[in-house]
Amino acid sequence: PDAHTIADAAPSPSAHLHEHRDGDAKHAHFTLQRSQSVLAWSLALTLGFAVVEVVTGFMSNSLALISDAGHMVTDAAALGLALLAQLIAKRPPSARHSFGFGRAEALAAFVNSLVLLVLVGWIIFEAAKRFTHPEHVQGSTVFIVAAIGLVINILLAWMLSRGDSNMNTRAALVNVMGDLLGSVAALAAGAIIYYTGWMMIDPLLSIFVALLILKSTFSVLRESYHFLMGGVPDTIA
């Protein structure tokens, strides 16, 4: 074949680049859709069980279970904000927002972290009151509900860990991991109260979990605040 035929048969550089961009766009769209689906299912599971924990928490008079219920509600808020942030972040730049809406994710993570700090403060306050005035807790109810919550939180953590990794998904995963610890604490509190009748374990484990959640929350709060203030990324020395 002559040179003209070879040139006609070879793909042009512009065609190759165009096909590559199309593939990248389809892959990015699929990844975003999968991430949104994971967040939506996680939100539905979290809200559904939060209602169960709120009702049974007050029925059993367990601070550990009530705290876990409050954390589940905070998880739902985190997941809802993360889902909303992803939808907002897809909007293209405009004349009023020339840099787009990418900071919506960081803003949602920052707001969620502040709410979580308030929740931790409430848990510690209520636990301190129960140290001076112990209250009766239905250990068997706490144990059963906490066991179900533990299974649900493990499922949520697995779903979020397999989703798209971004700031809000990581923030939601931090909340779920903290809630998983809350379920473990409530499970232990229910078992100890049922077998020994020691009511002080309920506020004691609540404070322990609150402090663990506090430690994890500060890292997300620092990262989102740093991004919102236009700080230099940690990867740049």
Side-chain angles (χ1 to χ4, degrees):
D2 57 18
H4 180 73
T5 304
I6 295 176
D8 289 341
S12 65
S14 61
H16 174 73
L17 290 175
H18 180 71
E19 290 172 0
H20 181 70
R21 286 197 297 268
D22 282 348
D24 285 348
K26 290 178 182 178
H27 176 73
H29 178 72
F30 171 76
T31 302
L32 182 61
Q33 288 296 110
R34 183 180 63 180
S35 176
Q36 291 176 0
S37 177
V38 168
L39 288 173
W41 277 105
S42 301
L43 176 60
L45 281 173
T46 304
L47 277 178
F49 192 72
V51 175
V52 176
E53 278 202 319
V54 167
V55 175
T56 55
F58 281 102
M59 288 177 57
S60 62
N61 198 31
S62 170
L63 179 59
L65 203 56
I66 293 173
S67 301
D68 196 37
H71 196 200
M72 291 286 284
V73 172
T74 307
D75 288 346
L79 293 165
L81 285 170
L83 188 59
L84 179 63
Q86 286 198 358
L87 294 175
I88 294 176
K90 290 197 308 182
R91 296 175 60 183
S94 63
R96 290 174 58 89
H97 304 89
S98 58
F99 291 98
F101 298 86
R103 291 183 187 271
E105 275 192 89
L107 180 61
F110 183 77
V111 171
N112 173 68
S113 297
L114 292 179
V115 174
L116 193 56
L117 289 178
V118 174
L119 176 63
V120 168
W122 178 82
I123 293 173
I124 295 176
F125 175 75
E126 289 295 323
K129 291 200 310 184
R130 293 201 178 197
F131 278 127
T132 55
H133 299 89
E135 298 185 16
H136 178 72
V137 178
Q138 298 178 12
S140 58
T141 302
V142 175
F143 182 85
I144 294 172
V145 176
I148 299 173
L150 181 62
V151 173
I152 291 178
N153 282 307
I154 291 174
L155 177 61
L156 289 173
W158 178 78
M159 291 171 60
L160 289 170
S161 65
R162 291 174 59 87
D164 185 32
S165 179
N166 54 56
M167 185 181 298
N168 255 339
T169 304
R170 292 197 304 273
L173 183 58
V174 165
N175 284 350
V176 170
M177 293 303 293
D179 203 27
L180 193 149
L181 291 174
S183 296
V184 171
L187 189 70
I192 293 173
I193 291 171
Y194 180 78
Y195 287 107
T196 69
W198 188 42
M199 300 299 170
M200 298 295 289
I201 191 63
D202 188 64
L204 184 64
L205 288 179
S206 298
I207 289 182
F208 174 71
V209 173
L211 293 177
L212 290 178
I213 297 171
L214 188 64
K215 181 177 182 297
S216 300
T217 303
F218 271 127
S219 63
V220 177
L221 188 64
R222 183 191 66 82
E223 181 182 358
S224 57
Y225 175 79
H226 184 73
F227 184 78
L228 287 172
M229 297 302 293
V232 177
D234 296 334
T235 55
I236 300 178

